[in-house]
Amino acid sequence: SMSIIAALIIGGIAGWLAGLIVRGAGFGLIGNIVIGIVGALLASWLLPQLGVSLGVGWVRDVINATIGAVIILVILSLIKR
């Protein structure tokens, strides 16, 4: 189980990475942290359903959160159009 500080750090990193991957879809520092945390929640449910396991420890957490955040940013950018 992650602490709040670790969740914020991982969420921030994941949101920032997702913002780089999905160009023009960033939401600023706070928005990216929120997107990263929500992305982590999404990926922690979705990836095991698909049988996907990437990395171990905090590296896995960042990768999973980034994947989830990218999914959310793509969906949000499609909704914006």
Side-chain angles (χ1 to χ4, degrees):
S1 176
M2 289 189 295
S3 71
I4 298 295
I5 305 277
L8 291 174
I9 292 170
I10 290 172
I13 292 169
W16 174 73
L17 288 171
L20 293 176
I21 293 168
V22 183
R23 293 277 178 187
F27 289 91
L29 179 62
I30 301 300
N32 284 352
I33 290 172
V34 170
I35 296 287
I37 291 170
V38 173
L41 294 172
L42 172 67
S44 70
W45 172 81
L46 179 63
L47 294 179
Q49 298 293 322
L50 299 173
V52 177
S53 178
L54 304 168
V56 294
W58 68 269
V59 172
R60 178 195 60 225
D61 295 338
V62 171
I63 291 170
N64 289 349
T66 301
I67 291 170
V70 166
I71 292 169
I72 291 170
L73 285 178
V74 167
I75 291 169
L76 289 175
S77 68
L78 291 174
I79 291 172
K80 275 187 185 179
R81 291 183 180 182

